[in-house]
Amino acid sequence: MLNFELTREPRATNDKPEEWTEDMNRLDHTLSQLKAKGEKALITYIMAGDPSLQETEQLVLELEHAGADVIELGVPFSDPIADGPVIQKAAERGLRSGTSLRMILESVRHLRTNTQIPIVLMAYYNNIHAFGEAEFCRKAVDAGIDGLIVPDMPPDEAGPLRGPADEAGLHLIFLLAPTSTAARRAYVAKESGGFVYYVSITGITGAKLNDIAGVRDNVAKIRKHTKTPVAVGFGVATPDDAARVADVADGVIVGSAIVRRVGEHGQDGRLIQEVGAFVRSLKAAMQPA
Amino acid sequence: MAIPDRHGRFGPYGGRYVPETLMPALLELEEVYQRTRRDKRFQAELKHYLKDYVGRPTPLYFAERLTKRLGGAKIYLKREDLCHTGAHKINNAIGQALLAKRMKKPRLIAETGAGQHGVATATVAAMFGLECEIYMGTEDMQRQALNVFRMRLLGATVTGVDAGSRTLKDAISEAMRDWTTNVRTTHYVLGSVLGAHPYPMMIRDFQSVIGREARKQILAAEGRLPDGLVACVGGGSNAIGLFHAFVPDKKVKLVGVEAGGLGIESGKHAARFAGGRPGVLQGTMTYLLQDDNGQVNLTHSVSAGLDYAAVGPEHSFHKETNRAQYTSVTDDEALAAFDLLAREEGIMPALESAHAIAEVMRSAPTMKKSQVLIVNLSGRGDKDVQQVARMKGVTL
């Protein structure tokens, strides 16, 4: 089922030297290169299988072409407690198209014949648990996944994943929030690999970002505990938001605003074009002056 | 060994699987609760409200005609249906509202399935002068229209949840999202022994008054401990509440009754121990009805309060250690039990509690007349009269 032709060429290699070698984690490689250039990472989220896995693969290549530095692929789950209505609906569409974690890994494996852009999965814990923690880590890295975000698994509960993930070379990326105490910041920052995911608002995905000073302040506090890059997500919806967040963090994560466009254009033939145009506008806003 | 341990684990079950945003609130709740449970002033305050507001202790009633009719073990009913608001749910709601006051959180939220926990939370919110919002699946709002109106009369906002199966599970997800967003001002009054630590432990503690009373009452009435306890298990708070004081009494058999819906083989049920396996849903590791990929299955029960895909983690622990046995009864068996109790004893049980009665209809006749069973009559059936009429094909 995955033998269709991919329609996009990867981004030209001259703006991003391809020094990546197979023994490196793509996420580390990309983030350190961006840092060296003084640029910020644009991390774009889409739901795998929304509207189909074929279109997900086309979207990943388009996101890269449009300027995304890291792809975050959502794994559709029946009960996504950390997500707002936009991503909940995307998960329902993903489940309706019959998408499973196994099929997503096959899709990523197929994508790896065309791109080496870092890919992280965002999956709820029960999907990983049902797959088997150790088997998942091995197969994910083998397919070409670089990191894992589990929104309902704080590091306190990550025991069964820690050993297998470290052995396989899969980054476990943890979240911090505006409600996090100093003790939680120290602990979570230390546990998080690849990047630390700072949740910019007290709430669920897709809410509105309005306290950029608070974000700046919290990112600075997190940086005291770790040299790992800090990326900011939840509530980054416009090029202006992206620019403001890029100013205070190492990476900008955009999810619901992209997923909303996937929902609107999933059936009208303009999916790739509309998502690409939006991501280009985000990337343009993030360029250093 | 303390159960749960300090990570909220009942053996391999339980834990704290929540977004990071909620972790500080859970840690604060645990800390405040651990401090408060040992506080004599808090315990006195709780006791006062349980006695003078809820009406505790509830009677342990010898169901003489039911016993004769079934022709076996002596059957006692623990009358939680006589609590203020008509079910055991208020034991927990009072406790948590007192904690919310101590944490200076002016707003309570809750999920509800059958509506009993929503009514209990709306009631204590009114009594303590707290703001209150209740999340309820739209399917359940239809099944339990009377309770929706009761909550509104008590001043609560009832918000319908139109996602997934539109039942309890989806109401919990929406309440968790609200809590994640408003955690600084809001306390989430979870209604059963579910969710992330410390909820399963704390709610068990608040409900364990049921079993402490029942143990004293049966010793007074019979001069000995019962042979068995029977309670329905949705999340399982009324069952844990009755069982907890008897767990060390190894000779007392503990029986939990899940919703068999249209029958286990039909796939349309909520019997987690018959058809599920361990997984994580809404904060806790426990037995869960799910498919091979870990997607949570839709459930079915005539009783909204039992219609949930996961079971409290302490029940999973009791199941695994064989301290308790779990069985299921179908919608039809529960309805027959509803009729029997109404006609023989003049008591209409909640459809949830009717599941426990249905199990007693099977087991009591096989027991000796000298043996004793206690059944938790966790709620009264007034809320279910319309549903029962529908099932019987009667138009009111």
Side-chain angles (χ1 to χ4, degrees):
Chain A
M1 62 168 296
L2 295 171
N3 58 354
F4 62 92
E5 287 297 311
L6 293 165
T7 53
R8 289 282 178 183
E9 290 298 312
R11 201 152 32 131
T13 53
N14 56 354
D15 65 333
K16 190 175 176 188
E18 291 291 309
E19 295 159 19
W20 177 79
T21 56
E22 277 188 17
D23 58 337
M24 295 173 73
N25 184 295
R26 298 173 194 83
L27 188 55
D28 293 337
H29 174 69
T30 294
L31 294 180
S32 68
Q33 283 206 325
L34 287 169
K35 190 174 183 186
K37 288 191 285 182
E39 290 182 25
K40 303 304 174 72
L42 174 58
I43 302 169
T44 54
Y45 173 101
I46 54 174
M47 180 64 73
D50 172 25
S52 72
L53 272 177
Q54 260 190 18
E55 280 151 306
T56 298
E57 290 187 36
Q58 292 170 5
L59 278 170
V60 167
L61 297 179
E62 174 63 19
L63 291 170
E64 180 177 29
H65 196 73
D69 300 293
V70 177
I71 305 294
E72 195 182 325
L73 274 185
V75 176
F77 180 49
S78 52
D79 299 86
I81 54 172
D83 286 303
V86 170
I87 292 182
Q88 285 177 50
K89 287 203 179 73
E92 286 172 15
R93 293 193 296 268
L95 289 172
R96 268 204 301 278
S97 76
T99 309
S100 70
L101 185 48
R102 274 173 212 283
M103 290 160 67
I104 294 167
L105 296 190
E106 281 317 300
S107 244
V108 171
R109 184 188 304 284
H110 188 238
L111 271 167
R112 283 297 178 222
T113 59
N114 286 280
T115 176
Q116 295 304 330
I117 190 165
I119 299 179
V120 303
L121 285 192
M122 181 146 169
Y124 283 85
Y125 188 67
N126 202 50
N127 291 144
I128 307 285
H129 184 68
F131 198 105
E133 284 85 350
E135 188 191 353
F136 169 77
C137 291
R138 275 195 314 276
K139 291 200 165 157
V141 170
D142 189 56
I145 307 268
D146 303 291
L148 174 68
I149 304 168
V150 185
D152 61 343
M153 182 192 72
D156 318 56
E157 300 291 358
L161 271 167
R162 177 49 79 193
D166 289 352
E167 200 172 308
L170 181 71
H171 278 313
L172 295 182
I173 298 158
F174 293 108
L175 298 91
L176 277 165
T179 53
S180 299
T181 56
R184 295 293 301 170
R185 272 196 300 273
Y187 173 53
V188 176
K190 183 167 64 66
E191 291 293 317
S192 196
F195 60 89
V196 178
Y197 191 137
Y198 179 68
V199 175
S200 60
I201 42 124
T202 305
I204 53 179
T205 57
K208 200 167 156 26
L209 173 69
N210 47 22
D211 178 21
I212 198 70
V215 173
R216 180 194 302 271
D217 193 39
N218 273 296
V219 170
K221 284 180 185 163
I222 295 166
R223 281 183 173 143
K224 282 185 191 150
H225 298 287
T226 181
K227 291 193 165 28
T228 308
V230 181
V232 173
F234 284 41
V236 184
T238 65
D240 183 53
D241 290 341
R244 289 189 299 154
V245 170
D247 195 38
V248 302
D250 303 305
V252 179
I253 306 165
V254 185
S256 296
I258 296 173
V259 171
R260 180 179 297 118
R261 286 165 171 83
V262 175
E264 286 165 2
H265 299 289
Q267 308 301 333
D268 68 4
R270 287 162 53 204
L271 175 64
I272 303 292
Q273 169 192 346
E274 292 285 340
V275 170
F278 177 61
V279 171
R280 269 181 206 91
S281 72
L282 295 172
K283 185 68 174 182
M286 288 168 57
Q287 295 304 328
Chain B
M1 185 180 61
I3 294 289
D5 68 15
R6 64 194 184 85
H7 304 291
R9 290 281 175 176
F10 303 86
Y13 303 109
R16 250 187 305 237
Y17 296 89
V18 293
E20 180 63 30
T21 306
L22 292 179
M23 281 301 284
L26 288 170
L27 295 169
E28 180 199 10
L29 180 60
E30 186 189 0
E31 197 249 304
V32 170
Y33 175 64
Q34 293 289 12
R35 195 154 26 90
T36 307
R37 73 198 294 197
R38 287 189 291 268
D39 177 348
K40 287 205 177 97
R41 275 194 8 239
F42 177 83
Q43 289 302 338
E45 203 176 0
L46 180 60
K47 206 170 161 186
H48 157 71
Y49 285 113
L50 288 179
K51 176 171 172 285
D52 293 338
Y53 189 74
V54 175
R56 303 206 71 89
T58 59
L60 184 72
Y61 165 71
F62 173 48
E64 195 174 352
R65 278 173 51 86
L66 181 66
T67 298
K68 273 203 190 116
R69 172 72 183 266
L70 296 177
K74 288 180 88 170
I75 300 160
Y76 283 84
L77 305 177
K78 181 60 175 163
R79 297 291 308 274
E80 292 301 298
D81 59 318
L82 296 178
C83 288
H84 179 43
T85 72
H88 71 292
K89 293 293 185 186
I90 197 154
N91 302 328
N92 165 51
I94 290 259
Q96 289 202 45
L98 286 171
L99 279 180
K101 276 180 64 190
R102 295 216 164 191
M103 292 184 291
K104 301 196 172 12
K105 297 203 167 168
R107 177 171 177 263
L108 301 182
I109 58 169
E111 83 295 339
T112 197
Q116 291 305 108
H117 175 58
V119 167
T121 305
T123 297
V124 299
M127 193 252 291
F128 287 122
L130 301 167
E131 194 191 331
C132 183
E133 182 161 359
I134 306 293
Y135 290 94
M136 190 168 186
T138 49
E139 166 81 20
D140 288 340
M141 286 176 77
Q142 208 175 4
R143 284 194 279 194
Q144 303 288 349
L146 189 62
N147 270 343
V148 174
F149 190 56
R150 286 169 80 193
M151 289 183 267
R152 287 180 175 148
L153 287 174
L154 289 160
T157 304
V158 181
T159 302
V161 180
D162 213 5
S165 56
R166 304 186 193 94
T167 60
L168 180 59
K169 171 170 76 81
D170 312 288
I172 293 177
S173 284
E174 205 53 35
M176 288 182 81
R177 292 182 188 113
D178 179 311
W179 199 34
T180 305
T181 305
N182 299 300
V183 60
R184 289 185 170 95
T185 59
T186 298
H187 175 67
Y188 178 17
V189 185
L190 190 59
S192 193
V193 284
L194 294 166
H197 184 62
Y199 281 103
M201 170 185 75
M202 180 174 76
I203 294 163
R204 173 198 72 194
D205 292 352
F206 287 139
Q207 292 294 1
S208 63
V209 64
I210 302 172
R212 282 200 308 276
E213 287 176 6
R215 201 170 181 285
K216 261 188 230 160
Q217 289 165 323
I218 198 71
L219 287 173
E222 292 285 335
R224 68 177 188 91
L225 290 174
D227 297 281
L229 308 177
V230 183
C232 64
V233 179
S237 71
N238 90 81
I240 284 286
L242 177 63
F243 294 172
H244 191 57
F246 293 90
V247 167
D249 305 314
K250 298 280 193 253
K251 287 190 176 152
V252 180
K253 188 175 175 188
L254 312 178
V255 179
V257 187
E258 298 186 285
L262 303 180
I264 304 301
E265 61 291 340
S266 74
K268 291 183 162 51
H269 62 84
R272 291 66 46 105
F273 290 124
R277 63 175 199 280
V280 168
L281 179 65
Q282 295 171 334
T284 193
M285 170 83 74
T286 190
Y287 271 76
L288 175 62
L289 289 168
Q290 56 183 316
D291 70 12
D292 291 344
N293 294 315
Q295 308 297 356
V296 179
N297 285 346
L298 296 184
T299 52
H300 167 83
S301 171
V302 65
S303 147
L306 304 183
D307 196 356
Y308 181 63
V311 63
E314 191 164 6
H315 285 293
S316 292
F317 177 73
H318 286 325
K319 154 92 174 167
E320 197 156 290
T321 56
N322 265 320
R323 181 62 193 93
Q325 272 72 53
Y326 295 87
T327 180
S328 64
V329 307
T330 63
D331 287 354
D332 287 343
E333 291 171 307
L335 188 62
F338 181 98
D339 283 344
L340 183 71
L341 198 67
R343 302 255 173 136
E344 295 294 329
E345 296 289 350
I347 298 170
M348 282 190 285
L351 280 173
E352 290 77 16
S353 320
H355 283 71
I357 301 293
E359 164 57 22
V360 168
M361 287 166 66
R362 289 194 302 219
S363 60
T366 70
M367 297 170 71
K368 286 186 229 139
K369 290 189 175 169
S370 58
Q371 290 185 293
V372 174
L373 283 176
I374 297 177
V375 191
N376 203 3
L377 200 67
S378 55
R380 69 180 182 217
D382 309 45
K383 71 181 172 65
D384 291 317
V385 168
Q386 282 180 323
Q387 173 80 357
V388 169
R390 264 198 297 276
M391 288 173 77
K392 290 174 179 284
V394 175
T395 313
L396 297 178

